[in-house]
Amino acid sequence: ASPVARDSSFPSSGEMAALKEEVEEKKKLIATLRNKPWRMKRRLTLLKEAQDFVEKFEGALGKGKGRKLFAFKVMMAKKLIKLKRDFENFKTACIPWEGKIKDVESHFGSSVASYFIFLRWMYGLNMVLLGLMFGLVVVPEVLMGLPYGSIPRKTVPREEQATAMDYSTLTDFEGYFKYSILFYGYYNNERQIGLLKFRLPLSYLLVGVGIFGYSLMVVIRTMARNANEGGDGGDEGDFTFSWKMFTSWDYLIGNPETADNKYASITTSFKESIVDEQMNQKDENIHLRRFLRVLANVLILCSLGGSGYLIYYVVKRSQVFANMNKDDLTWMEKNEVEFVMSLLGLVCPPLFEAIAELEDYHPRIALKWQLGRIFALFLGNLYTFLFALFDEVNAKLESEKDIKNATILALNEYAANYSSYYNTTNVPPQNVHPADVIRGPCWETAVGKEFVKLTVSDIQVTYLTILVGDFLRAVIVRFLNYCWCWDLEAGFPSYGEFDISGNVLGLIFNQGMIWMGAFYAPGLVGLNILRLLSSMYYQTWAVMCTNVPHERVFKASGSNNFYMGLLLLVLFLSLLPVVYTIMTLSPSFDCGPFSGQEKMYDVVMETIDQDLPAFIGNIFVYATNPGLIMPAVLLMVLALYYLNAVSKGYQQANIDLKKKMQMAREEEKNRRNNKDSTNQVMKDLEDLLPNKSLIPPPAEEDRSPKVKPGAAGKGVHLQRDVSLAAPNPRDPVTRDPGPRRGPPENARGPQPGQD
């Protein structure tokens, strides 16, 4: 019986050693069981047995009085391991929407789930931005600032109060929405507010710039992490079929239909790899192909130019409508800009896809062209909208100057009349209700209102598209398929597929509008949080209920940094209008935290001059000297050039190392193959020799037992291994040959080797 099975309260030292060794073996088996090439049933059985064994006998390794203490330590170690595992499970359960995303992933693969993971990442980023904006700007103004109705910028004008709560007014973000914490114009320009002496204008400027800095840091960090995680593959041209064979399957798929689609997708990818070379060597009319590709690009450029001109035209029309009576305008005329931009975002991508059929590119190349064109469309539309909007801003600035001059003239006339009538120089301020004060147009609030309206219209169009284009389409296919002339599921219209690229690009450009508009409308970040929150639930429901898996299911790892790169580019392009506003344009004179300043950044200079020591102001002045900025920029460019050169050197070194490793592998393979073939030939020749002692044994076989001369070794099977000699009908020679004799006297004389 095994010493483990013995029942003894004080086992002997030998039994303890055997028990300890067996417990260690069981622990090692538990740790390495996952790597064993066994069936799952055998793994589970052995795991259960090993765990029971360790749990039963591990406490018996103590000695004497220390045995209970050892058993207690073992028990506490197990409890600690279980506590850590439960804590990890708790952290996983606390990840928002993890269950929903896993559901989508099991039915549609990781490519569709990547969109929802990206959406969750954007939600986390915007939660931090919401904390910055509300914690340092909105909440201090609400708690420590002046209440609503105390000053003109926080009061609805008298002529607008009658319709300030109408539904049509609120949907245009006029009325009480316009004079609320949602927009820039509500915030006061006092340097310090409340008991804490909080510097709201400085905080507003720093938070507006800090949003871009934090977003830039997070995006670059995520790109670096994705690059580190994605560096485990080989070159695309090396071992193509091996990589596809062993890495193509998506192990997160849990739906049979998706698994069938994935199987068909892998089969198609193998066929494409085989056909690629044939396509490269295919004879075609190259001149016709070039003509069609040039024609397709010309058509797409015309579409892009037309969409840009259309946006510029409707923005100019909206400026004309803004000067008209709103009661005379229709709903379409009031929302023409938002409607046209949303409509272009829906119509142009399918149009680009139809035009791309003329080019006949490989699907991978066609996908990149399609994404690039959609990106150019969104970017062109956004910047065309901005250019037209800044034309309107310049017009508002001119009107603000006229209103400001008229206000100053009226105040001067009031002071002159009062002093002349009462014969005093102590002129009290006018007692005018805040609702009756003449207002400027407050161009910052107008810009913020346009961004808020664009965001809301984008939400409406997206949700209506899902409801009509996916849900209604699925209902028609599901319930009318039985009584239709053709198969609606297999033919037109069929069930819709989830548009990953279009949804991700829409999410990226919506975030770009948030980055640009948050400076003019601090409440826009909170509105975007509601949009992302509702999108997660609404789109997961739509995908699970109305969409079918893609015919070709791709892994998502290859596109993470591509989308992050687009997000980084949009972040940089979103920063430019805000920096232009801060450094160039004059703020409104009667609204916002920077009213009364020549430029918005003057708040920083004012804080340095009044609140910081003089030497810090001198340092700041020297640091902003162009004579220091230009060398610093040049040094940064040289550093980037150096790091880029070092990175290319490392990449080339990696390529050279891969080539050397591949050459060493091929040499080792060739040497092994040559050695095997040589050894086989030597074995064949050895079997033909009557005396094998002529062949020197290899050095590593000196320890093997010797055999008699002429006897076959254990590893030699004459009937099976001999391949170069014909079968010998005689018995094997077992003696040394005798001396040479003369020719035999007769054929029946003695044979060689016989006495």
Side-chain angles (χ1 to χ4, degrees):
S2 174
V4 174
R6 298 176 184 175
D7 188 10
S8 175
S9 58
F10 296 99
S12 63
S13 60
E15 292 175 344
M16 289 295 298
L19 180 62
K20 185 174 182 180
E21 183 179 356
E22 195 162 356
V23 169
E24 293 297 328
E25 289 180 358
K26 295 295 184 182
K27 286 184 176 180
K28 185 177 180 181
L29 177 63
I30 293 173
T32 61
L33 188 63
R34 183 177 295 179
N35 302 327
K36 300 293 183 182
W38 297 335
R39 292 181 178 274
M40 186 58 67
K41 184 178 180 181
R42 183 182 178 188
R43 289 186 186 184
L44 295 176
T45 304
L46 293 177
L47 178 63
K48 181 66 175 174
E49 293 176 356
Q51 288 176 342
D52 293 342
F53 182 87
V54 172
E55 185 177 359
K56 183 176 181 181
F57 295 105
E58 191 175 22
L61 297 179
K63 295 182 179 180
K65 296 181 179 179
R67 179 176 178 179
K68 292 184 178 180
L69 179 61
F70 182 80
F72 177 75
K73 289 182 179 179
V74 171
M75 182 189 70
M76 292 305 297
K78 291 181 179 178
K79 295 290 185 183
L80 182 60
I81 293 174
K82 185 177 183 302
L83 181 63
K84 290 181 179 179
R85 185 170 61 247
D86 292 341
F87 183 68
E88 292 296 328
N89 294 336
F90 174 74
K91 287 197 301 183
T92 303
C94 289
I95 299 176
W97 308 300
E98 185 69 12
K100 288 183 176 294
I101 294 176
K102 292 297 181 185
D103 244 358
V104 173
E105 196 167 38
S106 65
H107 284 79
F108 294 87
S110 59
S111 57
V112 176
S114 67
Y115 166 75
F116 293 99
I117 294 173
F118 185 67
L119 177 62
R120 182 176 63 188
W121 183 87
M122 296 290 291
Y123 178 80
L125 173 65
N126 281 271
M127 283 297 294
V128 177
L129 302 186
L130 179 70
L132 291 174
M133 184 62 74
F134 272 63
L136 297 176
V137 175
V138 177
V139 174
E141 174 65 30
V142 172
L143 297 181
M144 294 182 284
L146 297 174
Y148 173 81
S150 57
I151 54 178
R153 69 185 65 189
K154 297 185 177 183
T155 308
V156 178
R158 186 79 63 186
E159 62 272 11
E160 298 180 13
Q161 289 182 357
T163 59
M165 286 297 293
D166 290 352
Y167 177 76
S168 59
T169 303
L170 295 178
T171 52
D172 288 336
F173 294 95
E174 295 284 347
Y176 285 103
F177 274 163
K178 182 178 179 180
Y179 300 95
S180 66
I181 59 172
L182 185 62
F183 293 108
Y184 166 94
Y186 180 83
Y187 298 88
N188 200 3
N189 62 339
E190 294 182 5
R191 290 190 65 249
Q192 298 175 348
I193 60 174
L195 297 176
L196 300 178
K197 303 298 182 181
F198 186 79
R199 294 175 174 84
L200 182 66
L202 180 64
S203 177
Y204 195 102
L205 181 65
L206 294 182
V207 169
V209 177
I211 283 176
F212 289 95
Y214 175 78
S215 302
L216 179 65
M217 180 184 66
V218 171
V219 171
I220 291 179
R221 182 180 177 184
T222 305
M223 291 181 67
R225 185 171 64 247
N226 290 343
N228 292 334
E229 292 177 355
D232 55 351
D235 293 336
E236 293 183 357
D238 296 338
F239 315 111
T240 303
F241 291 98
S242 297
W243 286 112
K244 288 186 177 181
M245 176 65 71
F246 295 108
T247 63
S248 292
W249 187 254
D250 191 349
Y251 289 93
L252 298 175
I253 293 175
N255 181 263
E257 184 181 359
T258 309
D260 292 340
N261 289 343
K262 184 63 178 177
Y263 173 80
S265 173
I266 295 174
T267 306
T268 305
S269 68
F270 272 101
K271 292 179 180 179
E272 286 179 353
S273 299
I274 296 172
V275 173
D276 273 346
E277 185 64 25
Q278 299 176 355
M279 290 180 62
N280 293 334
Q281 299 177 358
K282 182 177 63 174
D283 293 333
E284 62 175 355
N285 191 341
I286 188 66
H287 300 292
L288 178 61
R289 181 60 53 211
R290 289 176 179 173
F291 171 75
L292 291 177
R293 288 177 179 176
V294 170
L295 177 62
N297 283 283
V298 169
L299 293 176
I300 289 174
L301 287 176
C302 292
S303 302
L304 292 175
S307 64
Y309 174 76
L310 184 60
I311 291 175
Y312 188 83
Y313 174 73
V314 295
V315 171
K316 287 294 185 180
R317 274 170 54 94
S318 68
Q319 297 174 10
V320 177
F321 293 153
N323 298 325
M324 297 172 59
N325 188 6
K326 294 182 179 180
D327 297 334
D328 299 335
L329 300 177
T330 63
W331 178 87
M332 183 64 188
E333 291 173 341
K334 292 179 181 179
N335 301 275
E336 194 174 37
V337 177
E338 295 79 15
F339 179 78
V340 168
M341 290 191 68
S342 301
L343 188 63
L344 288 174
L346 288 176
V347 173
C348 287
L351 178 63
F352 291 165
E353 189 173 355
I355 295 175
E357 294 293 331
L358 298 173
E359 297 175 315
D360 195 21
Y361 280 124
H362 191 278
R364 288 188 294 270
I365 302 175
L367 178 61
K368 292 179 181 179
W369 276 100
Q370 178 72 359
L371 291 176
R373 287 160 179 167
I374 296 175
F375 184 81
L377 171 71
F378 286 165
L379 191 62
N381 292 348
L382 185 60
Y383 261 76
T384 304
F385 169 74
L386 286 176
F387 290 148
L389 198 59
F390 276 108
D391 288 343
E392 183 179 357
V393 167
N394 293 328
K396 288 183 180 296
L397 285 173
E398 294 297 328
S399 64
E400 275 192 357
K401 290 180 181 179
D402 298 336
I403 296 175
K404 182 179 180 181
N405 294 332
T407 304
I408 294 174
L409 180 61
L411 290 176
N412 292 334
E413 290 180 356
Y414 165 75
N417 293 333
Y418 188 90
S419 60
S420 62
Y421 185 79
Y422 292 101
N423 196 17
T424 180
T425 58
N426 188 12
V427 181
Q430 282 183 307
N431 187 13
V432 181
H433 192 274
D436 299 325
V437 176
I438 300 175
R439 316 288 179 84
C442 193
W443 63 266
E444 296 94 342
T445 296
V447 173
K449 189 172 66 174
E450 292 297 331
F451 278 109
V452 172
K453 291 172 69 176
L454 274 178
T455 303
V456 172
S457 66
D458 183 64
I459 296 173
Q460 294 172 349
V461 171
T462 302
Y463 288 3
L464 286 176
T465 302
I466 293 175
L467 188 63
V468 176
D470 289 335
F471 180 72
L472 187 60
R473 175 182 176 184
V475 169
I476 292 174
V477 172
R478 175 69 177 83
F479 293 101
L480 296 183
N481 192 34
Y482 302 102
C483 56
W484 206 257
C485 303
W486 64 83
D487 190 354
L488 296 178
E489 292 185 359
F492 179 81
S494 75
Y495 291 106
E497 295 179 352
F498 187 76
D499 184 12
I500 304 171
S501 300
N503 280 281
V504 171
L505 287 175
L507 195 61
I508 288 173
F509 277 93
N510 175 75
Q511 186 61 39
M513 288 191 293
I514 300 303
W515 278 325
M516 278 190 285
F519 188 80
Y520 311 103
L524 185 59
V525 183
L527 184 63
N528 190 47
I529 288 290
L530 297 178
R531 180 254 173 92
L532 296 175
L533 187 65
S534 60
S535 293
M536 177 61 74
Y537 291 101
Y538 186 65
Q539 289 187 303
T540 49
W541 166 80
V543 126
M544 296 295 291
C545 295
T546 65
N547 294 130
V548 294
H550 288 256
E551 293 183 2
R552 299 187 60 191
V553 184
F554 297 98
K555 286 189 175 180
S557 58
S559 58
N560 288 338
N561 264 3
F562 177 73
Y563 292 140
M564 284 294 170
L566 293 181
L567 188 63
L568 182 63
L569 179 59
V570 169
L571 173 61
F572 173 72
L573 296 175
S574 303
L575 177 62
L576 297 180
V578 177
V579 172
Y580 174 78
T581 299
I582 294 174
M583 303 300 294
T584 305
L585 298 180
S586 299
S588 298
F589 73 96
D590 62 341
C591 68
F594 308 113
S595 57
Q597 303 286 345
E598 185 66 27
K599 295 289 187 293
M600 293 183 181
Y601 67 86
D602 289 342
V603 175
V604 178
M605 306 303 298
E606 182 182 8
T607 303
I608 292 174
D609 293 338
Q610 299 184 14
D611 300 331
L612 296 178
F615 73 92
I616 296 181
N618 295 332
I619 292 174
F620 188 81
V621 170
Y622 293 146
T624 55
N625 191 347
L628 291 178
I629 293 177
M630 294 303 295
V633 172
L634 181 61
L635 182 61
M636 291 176 60
V637 172
L638 293 177
L640 290 175
Y641 177 78
Y642 170 75
L643 293 175
N644 187 31
V646 170
S647 175
K648 288 183 178 179
Y650 285 151
Q651 290 178 359
Q652 187 61 37
N654 288 337
I655 293 173
D656 295 340
L657 182 59
K658 286 181 181 179
K659 290 181 180 179
K660 290 180 180 179
M661 293 175 65
Q662 187 174 357
M663 292 174 62
R665 175 64 178 168
E666 291 176 355
E667 290 178 359
E668 178 68 20
K669 188 185 299 183
N670 294 334
R671 188 180 63 80
R672 191 188 308 116
N673 293 338
N674 294 335
K675 183 179 179 181
D676 292 342
S677 60
T678 304
N679 289 343
Q680 184 62 38
V681 173
M682 294 300 293
K683 287 179 182 179
D684 294 338
L685 294 176
E686 183 182 351
D687 292 335
L688 293 175
L689 293 175
N691 187 2
K692 298 180 182 179
S693 62
L694 298 176
I695 302 175
E700 62 271 13
E701 296 181 358
D702 290 338
R703 299 181 181 180
S704 60
K706 296 182 180 180
V707 296
K708 294 180 181 181
K714 293 182 180 180
V716 180
H717 304 283
L718 293 175
Q719 297 298 327
R720 186 175 60 190
D721 291 345
V722 174
S723 60
L724 297 181
N728 192 355
R730 299 182 179 181
D731 294 335
V733 177
T734 58
R735 297 191 207 176
D736 294 337
R740 184 180 294 276
R741 298 180 181 181
E745 295 179 358
N746 51 49
R748 296 181 181 274
Q751 300 296 325
Q754 295 180 356
D755 296 336

